[in-house]
Amino acid sequence: QLQLQESGPRLVTPSETLSLTCTVSAGSISSSSYYWGWIRQPPGKGLECIGYIQYSGNTYYNPSLKSRVTMSVDTSKNQFSLNLSSVTAADTAVYYCARHVYGRGLGYWGQGTLVTVSS
Amino acid sequence: DIQMTQSPSALSASVGDRVTITCRASQSISSWLAWYQQKPGKAPNLLIYKASSLESGVPSRFSGSESGTEFTLTISSLQPDDFATYYCQQYKSSWTFGQGTRVEIK
């Protein structure tokens, strides 16, 4: 059974960079059919796509976050990562990593990690 | 970007009721639409993909349909485990989620 697990600091200082890694186990990150995404959910609110990446390095970033987002993939470690710079309190959210198989939606999700932006 | 308008934002229903939730896309997304169920403190769970295909392991009381740019999730007979929040998501062009529908006990 494929598993995804987010890791990274739970508390980030305003204006700093939020960095998270998603480790994929029981499955390979390397397939052109897979899109590895980051989705966030502010407390009590809905889901927002931050962006996604393929193992080849092709990326999509949400236009509203594009100037602050960088994603990368490390196939040797079966991991992909998110960097969100210049964070503010508005970036406080549960951050999920997830896998989309072409045409089939987001079938696997990490458990999510709450990241709080505060001094 | 494609916008998804989901309605209602919340509804109250009883066990055994038939429940429908609607999502309207701002432009054609063909059938590239998924539905998710989310319970408090948990990650979303995929129910339906490609507008009407049932994900493996999902009960058959869940179904999806489409008419043009309008998509519907139907729960044929609401069960106690179904009280949750439901989201639609288009994946025709990037990914966009609807605002969510909270299904509450009447």
Side-chain angles (χ1 to χ4, degrees):
Chain A
Q1 174 86 348
L2 187 78
Q3 291 189 330
L4 289 78
Q5 178 68 58
E6 304 91 350
S7 60
R10 303 300 198 263
L11 180 65
V12 182
T13 303
S15 80
E16 297 296 309
T17 296
L18 180 159
S19 296
L20 294 173
T21 295
C22 183
T23 300
V24 180
S25 55
S28 174
I29 203 169
S30 301
S31 167
S32 59
S33 296
Y34 300 157
Y35 298 77
W36 302 95
W38 290 98
I39 297 101
R40 70 179 183 178
Q41 186 171 36
K45 296 189 178 181
L47 301 165
E48 177 183 37
C49 169
I50 301 170
Y52 48 82
I53 188 168
Q54 290 184 280
Y55 85 100
S56 60
N58 291 335
T59 56
Y60 164 82
Y61 300 148
N62 185 324
S64 68
L65 300 168
K66 188 173 184 177
S67 63
R68 300 194 289 130
V69 172
T70 305
M71 294 182 186
S72 60
V73 63
D74 187 336
T75 55
S76 67
K77 295 182 178 179
N78 233 29
Q79 295 176 335
F80 61 105
S81 298
L82 166 70
N83 282 341
L84 180 66
S85 64
S86 304
V87 297
T88 69
D91 295 309
T92 293
V94 175
Y95 286 75
Y96 295 101
C97 59
R99 187 188 82 172
H100 172 100
V101 177
Y102 179 77
R104 293 181 65 103
L106 292 155
Y108 287 94
W109 295 67
Q111 65 184 23
T113 186
L114 174 62
V115 179
T116 301
V117 178
S118 175
S119 55
Chain B
D1 272 10
I2 299 173
Q3 307 302 316
M4 302 301 296
T5 303
Q6 187 173 342
S7 61
S9 56
L11 64 89
S12 296
S14 301
V15 172
D17 284 353
R18 181 182 182 89
V19 169
T20 60
I21 299 168
T22 298
C23 257
R24 185 181 300 273
S26 59
Q27 63 189 76
S28 173
I29 58 169
S30 301
S31 299
W32 301 120
L33 183 109
W35 289 99
Y36 302 87
Q37 176 193 69
Q38 187 180 33
K39 296 184 177 179
K42 300 293 186 181
N45 182 50
L46 177 65
L47 301 173
I48 302 282
Y49 63 93
K50 209 173 179 187
S52 60
S53 296
L54 193 67
E55 176 71 350
S56 176
V58 174
S60 60
R61 63 181 179 273
F62 292 93
S63 64
S65 63
E66 63 178 295
S67 177
T69 59
E70 186 167 292
F71 299 83
T72 301
L73 173 70
T74 300
I75 309 172
S76 60
S77 178
L78 198 66
Q79 298 302 300
D81 191 47
D82 301 338
F83 292 96
T85 301
Y86 295 84
Y87 293 91
C88 63
Q89 178 221 0
Q90 69 81 19
Y91 49 96
K92 168 75 162 57
S93 172
S94 69
W95 301 344
T96 315
F97 293 90
Q99 299 90 336
T101 296
R102 185 173 177 181
V103 177
E104 301 171 329
I105 300 173
K106 193 170 186 179

